Amino acid sequence: MPKAKLTDAQFIAHANTVNDQCGQHSSEWNLDATRLSTLNTLTVNATHAYTANLDRATRNLITSTNKNTAFGELKHSLSLFVDYLEGNLSVPDSALAAMNLRPRTHHAHQPKGRPEEAPDMAVVKQHDEMTIYVSRKELGHPTQSVTRPKYRGFKLRWKFEGETRYRIEVSSRLHITLHFDREDETKRVILSVAWMNDRLEEGPWLEDVVEIVG
């Protein structure tokens, strides 16, 4: 049955759809006659009780109680019957969908692979700061805000010229700001960027860019 809570009208319509479809395809789907007979009886009873309780002129405590009792019995039986249908491979997936029943299989979310492209990069310098902006190549200027559903963010690797090891910075935004000391002024910094996926795996790195602090 659908997960969302149904109104009485929606529930009884849903139950009748399942009951009618199963009655029409009972032989084709190799349905158990006893189960189907029970579902049919409870669906008919609940439908009559629901209809009797609709008329405001005749509605009373008895009709309301009868409707609630009949609905309770039908909901319990229908839940078990739906489980039975899903376990019966003679009932095709398309039939489950037509009856608005949950699918047999749930497709797990597949993690995205490594990005296959490198970002564009722009560097804005101010005093002892260096802000690195990234963007997708087809989306224009790197300092513009862009959406990037394919990526979790990006990685920046940088080092001072002459150093052997890069330092890695990670950002879920489209920019990173590096802060330098006064004694770093005029030093040359080697920079590169790469997109990363949800598992923080990076794609190809942009060709190194050299900038001067200050």
Side-chain angles (χ1 to χ4, degrees):
M1 292 176 58
K3 291 183 179 180
K5 184 175 177 58
L6 302 179
T7 64
D8 285 351
Q10 291 171 331
F11 170 71
I12 202 63
H14 172 66
N16 274 283
T17 296
V18 175
N19 184 58
D20 292 344
Q21 287 295 308
C22 289
Q24 294 174 23
H25 300 278
S26 59
S27 297
E28 177 187 351
W29 295 346
N30 298 317
L31 298 181
D32 180 81
T34 300
R35 294 174 187 264
L36 187 57
S37 176
T38 298
L39 176 67
N40 180 70
T41 298
L42 293 178
T43 302
V44 170
N45 290 343
T47 301
H48 289 163
Y50 170 74
T51 303
N53 195 56
L54 275 181
D55 190 345
R56 293 186 177 182
T58 58
R59 182 188 305 167
N60 54 44
L61 180 60
I62 294 177
T63 61
S64 177
T65 300
N66 289 342
K67 188 268 295 182
N68 291 338
T69 300
F71 268 43
E73 293 175 348
L74 176 58
K75 286 179 180 179
H76 176 70
S77 179
L78 183 58
S79 178
L80 296 177
F81 192 81
V82 168
D83 290 341
Y84 162 69
L85 290 178
E86 291 179 348
N88 181 354
L89 297 184
S90 296
V91 183
D93 291 342
S94 58
L96 296 180
M99 291 184 284
N100 198 24
L101 302 178
R102 59 182 180 265
R104 288 190 176 95
T105 58
H106 300 276
H107 300 287
H109 174 70
Q110 297 298 319
K112 295 183 175 64
R114 290 177 180 268
E116 298 178 352
E117 62 181 358
D120 269 343
M121 178 176 67
V123 179
V124 177
K125 295 183 288 186
Q126 184 176 10
H127 303 299
D128 299 322
E129 295 182 352
M130 189 179 292
T131 301
I132 295 86
Y133 293 90
V134 296
S135 73
R136 294 182 62 188
K137 295 180 183 297
E138 70 271 22
L139 293 177
H141 196 278
T143 58
Q144 294 176 348
S145 175
V146 296
T147 57
R148 52 187 195 303
K150 294 173 62 176
Y151 310 122
R152 170 73 176 271
F154 76 99
K155 290 184 180 181
L156 165 71
R157 68 182 187 192
W158 68 276
K159 66 180 181 179
F160 290 113
E161 192 174 51
E163 292 183 335
T164 58
R165 298 183 62 181
Y166 282 100
R167 311 174 199 195
I168 302 294
E169 310 284 346
V170 175
S171 176
S172 60
R173 305 176 69 184
L174 293 170
H175 59 84
I176 291 177
T177 299
L178 300 178
H179 303 273
F180 298 98
D181 298 327
R182 285 296 178 89
E183 56 266 27
D184 294 328
E185 287 187 6
T186 73
K187 287 185 178 180
R188 293 162 65 87
V189 180
I190 302 173
L191 307 156
S192 183
V193 290
W195 294 118
M196 64 181 182
N197 62 16
D198 289 336
R199 292 174 289 180
L200 305 185
E201 298 171 329
E202 73 268 7
W205 290 91
L206 186 67
E207 185 176 349
D208 284 347
V209 173
V210 179
E211 295 285 344
I212 299 175
V213 179

